[in-house]
Amino acid sequence: MAKYHDTKPRVPDKTKYLEVEINSEMKTSFIAYAMAVNVSRAIPDVRDGLKPVHRRILYSMNELGLTSDKPTRKCARIVGDVLGKYHPHGDSSVYEALARLAQDFSTNEPFVDGQGNFGSVDGDKPAAMRYTEARLSKIASEMLRDIDKDTVDWRGNFDETLQEPVVLPSRIPNLLVNGSDGIAVGMATSIPPHNLGEVIDGAVALIDDPEISIDDLMKIVPAPDFPTGALIMGRQNIRCAYRTGRGAVLMRARADIQEYATKDDGSGGTRQRIVITEIPYQVNKSQLIKSISELYKDKKVEGIADLRDESDRSGMRIVIELKRDAQPQVVLNLLYKHTALQTSMGIIFLALVNGEPKVLNLKEMLYYYLEHQKDVIVRRTKYDLEKAKEREHIVEGLVKALANIDDVVQIIRSSKDRYEASERLTEALYLTDKQASAILDMRLARLTSLEVQQLENELVELKNKIEELSSILENPEKVLAIIKQEILEIKEKYATPRKTELCIDYDEIDIGDLIEKEDVVVSMTHFGYIKRLPQTEYRTQHRGGKGITAHKPKEEDFVENLFIANTHDDLMFFTNFGKVYCIKTYEIPEAERTARGRNIVNLLQLSEGEKVTAIIPKKEDSRGSIVMATKNALIKKTALSEFDSIRRGGKIAISLNEGDELINVAFTGGRDEILIASSSGKCIRFSEEDVRQMGRNAMGVRAMRLSGDERLVDMTVVTSNCQVVTVSSLGYGKRSDIDEYRLQSRGGKGIKAGVFNEKTGSLVNLKLVDPGDDIMIIADNGTIIRMKASEISKISRDTRGVRMMRMKGQGEVVCVCKAQPYEEEEDGEGESE
């Protein structure tokens, strides 16, 4: 019969359950698990460059006495010791880590000297741990040196029965020398190995100059150095990694194209072959050969006649025989493309800094290593100082006892036991318990005159040593000098030549590297034609000449910007849409002196209706701010550094509301004054310190209070001894002294810049000029008038001015520009001085 169950739900006993929020519990538990994996397994410490398993292996082998001058011992014994004492994980993980420390094709400086099969570059696994033996290598002693002198912190092992080091003294910069890789939870580290001598030289350079730049360090540590040799193609991504902590390295096998004589067909001709002697780091050789063979079978790479692996104990040698009609370089390039003969390795300089994962640049990795070495040297010095003082104390007691040896012998002979003898010696000779104990332990042989002299000499040496150790602790410069001396000794003892060759990757050559650094003249016309020409074109002339033509624009066009810049300077172009574009000076086409140049739209990716409103040259060492003003009277100041790394498509320089646009941009030095003007003729002058710095995406703050349909028409940076020219829409203008525009606070309504009414029209532009400047006035009907600034009437600020341009019909002035002085090309000798 079928057995039926009661379908009534059962109510759980709430006393047996703990109510928790599942989301909160999952977050807490996962974060705890993630940090445990990251800190305790996958990520190396920045100080010694080791993960916990490697640190425990080295320390355990040192405790077992397996130094480089002792016989090897079974790896099973070493693994068991590490597991039982310090590392409560699987034996395979410990043995794999031990084997890697012994592989000269995996690490630049192996810390384990292995005997037996520890794997190969073909991907063969190490033999079982019961067959292999190991001991510490010579350089491993530098990782553990002085560990018994309280140089590092200690913590309890997994069952709190033993103590293990938190970090090793690591007298070599192991994080960079041997590198590290690991996949943690939510992060990964991939640090390639480097040359020991180069890294130590980099550390020494940082000691000598703590302010050294990363670029200067890269001249000393140019690139990784892999134990398998091979080639590094280009350094652009490596430089990025050294600066930011993330990048890549492109590796290529070392391959030679050889020509050799052959008599297999009786012709006595020659054939060619490709011989590979070094392969990229961590590439499996057998898999590489297999992939080359499959490419030949699938006819993706033709021209291969035979493929052999001739590698032996003397080194690697892969031979690719080619057919007679094959092009060796073509075949080799195809192999680079389709096989691991060329491969890329990602670089992530991630390490634990004070127990927290952090991405570091090259300088930071060397800095934290040196900080660790400072701590090691200071702690070692304190330990040695304490031991020296203890020994000095004992020797002083022995010397005092020998000076009163008859009394000492009489006291000891007449005492019942050791305790009474110690008490009587302490009272009679004013000794401490330690000194009295040392006297009682003294052998009779120490009573000879030679021994007495040796004790006195030792006491003098101890006092000198104590003085020296104390001076080291009091002088940080001596600590750095000791670090420098000791790591240079390590370099002399263990450094080897670079194995990996640095080669040029022609695909990453920057055209700028081929351009000579020189000053050039850049000119741009009002309608956007730009060019550059050498500064030497402007030859020196005698006073009184008429000058030479700098630009030959159209009749209605004129030069609006002309300045000197270096070919490698950045030129920032600001547009009315609030964007900024950047190109190198050398990207501007070079043209003849009388040529018009190229339109800016051919150089910048401008949108429809977008036009350049300002050009700011930016040199490598430029410091300061960029001030921007908009039509709706907003002003913004942004640090020049915010405009680094501008892409070809431009970046936002200022956020604009609908209907607003950028009208002018200026470079300021920090304490300049700014003058702005509105269409109604109001003007305000204020300090740039009234405008706080903002990011590129900010909109800015109010520069001036506007009313009705009033708008901002111009902005300029005030210079000393300049004059102000104002021009109205109906052609009236004047020239006034800058002192008539008093300094005010930002955000006010300003003061009158003149009288503007129906007869004069609204204010069009306000320009700061010198008497020698030219002024261009442009009307909307195409009329242009050019005049010297000195020809404009100089009158007071709050006047109407005089007629500068007679308007015909219904035309109005739309733009006023300060133009570069321009004369027809007539050299003229002039009058000699």
Side-chain angles (χ1 to χ4, degrees), residues 257-258 272-274 322 325-333:
I257 298 174
Q258 299 178 356
Q272 291 179 311
R273 62 190 174 197
I274 299 172
L322 301 179
D325 58 346
Q327 296 291 331
Q329 195 61 54
V330 173
V331 174
L332 186 56
N333 289 341

Side-chain angles (χ1 to χ4, degrees), residues 398-585:
L398 294 176
V399 170
K400 186 181 292 186
L402 292 174
N404 302 275
I405 189 62
D406 294 336
D407 295 338
V408 170
V409 172
Q410 191 274 329
I411 290 172
I412 295 174
R413 291 187 62 184
S414 61
S415 299
K416 293 188 300 183
D417 54 23
R418 181 186 179 96
Y419 177 76
E420 183 182 342
S422 176
E423 288 288 329
R424 292 177 62 188
L425 284 173
T426 302
E427 293 176 0
L429 300 179
Y430 303 102
L431 302 173
T432 64
D433 291 340
K434 289 184 178 181
Q435 290 174 325
S437 179
I439 292 170
L440 292 173
D441 292 336
M442 184 173 61
R443 294 179 299 173
L444 292 176
R446 304 296 295 274
L447 301 178
T448 63
S449 58
L450 179 62
E451 286 292 330
V452 172
Q453 185 61 43
Q454 286 180 348
L455 283 174
E456 291 177 348
N457 293 339
E458 182 183 359
L459 186 60
V460 173
E461 291 175 0
L462 285 171
K463 290 184 180 297
N464 292 335
K465 184 178 181 181
I466 290 171
E467 183 179 354
E468 180 184 353
L469 293 174
S470 299
S471 68
I472 291 173
L473 294 177
E474 294 170 358
N475 193 342
E477 292 182 357
K478 287 190 176 182
V479 174
L480 290 173
I482 293 172
I483 296 173
K484 181 177 177 179
Q485 177 187 349
E486 292 186 353
I487 61 178
L488 286 175
E489 290 173 357
I490 291 172
K491 175 190 172 183
E492 184 179 355
K493 189 174 181 180
Y494 297 106
T496 56
R498 166 174 279 275
K499 306 179 188 73
T500 304
E501 182 181 345
L502 302 179
C503 298
I504 297 174
D505 184 2
Y506 292 98
D507 292 335
E508 74 172 30
I509 290 181
D510 188 354
I511 187 66
D513 297 334
L514 309 177
I515 303 294
E516 182 183 358
K517 288 188 176 182
E518 61 175 343
D519 288 338
V520 295
V521 178
V522 178
S523 61
M524 183 173 175
T525 70
H526 179 71
F527 290 113
Y529 287 91
I530 190 169
K531 70 173 183 179
R532 67 177 169 93
L533 64 160
Q535 193 176 1
T536 54
E537 288 286 334
Y538 293 85
R539 61 183 180 275
T540 303
Q541 299 179 28
H542 290 289
R543 175 175 58 81
K546 291 189 176 181
I548 61 173
T549 302
H551 210 118
K552 198 75 172 179
K554 298 178 181 179
E555 291 184 5
E556 68 276 6
D557 202 0
F558 57 91
V559 177
E560 190 172 2
N561 289 284
L562 188 142
F563 52 87
I564 295 175
N566 191 277
T567 49
H568 286 253
D569 287 346
D570 291 326
L571 297 183
M572 296 188 297
F573 296 81
F574 293 84
T575 70
N576 57 328
F577 285 7
K579 293 186 68 176
V580 57
Y581 300 83
C582 185
I583 60 175
K584 291 287 186 182
T585 304

Side-chain angles (χ1 to χ4, degrees), residues 72-115:
T72 57
R73 192 174 294 185
K74 286 288 186 183
C75 289
R77 172 70 176 86
I78 299 170
V79 172
D81 196 70
V82 174
L83 286 178
K85 291 182 177 179
Y86 309 112
H87 198 69
H89 300 285
D91 59 345
S92 61
S93 65
V94 176
Y95 185 51
E96 288 173 4
L98 173 65
R100 182 177 174 85
L101 290 174
Q103 294 172 345
D104 58 1
F105 56 86
S106 294
T107 56
N108 268 339
E109 305 293 341
F111 290 150
V112 172
D113 181 11
Q115 182 174 320

Side-chain angles (χ1 to χ4, degrees), residues 161-176:
T161 57
L162 295 169
Q163 292 286 304
E164 62 173 321
V166 174
V167 66
L168 297 186
S170 184
R171 308 318 303 278
I172 66 173
N174 178 59
L175 182 65
L176 281 169

Side-chain angles (χ1 to χ4, degrees), residues 674-685:
I674 299 167
L675 183 66
I676 62 174
S678 71
S679 57
S680 67
K682 295 293 182 64
C683 186
I684 187 169
R685 176 182 177 184

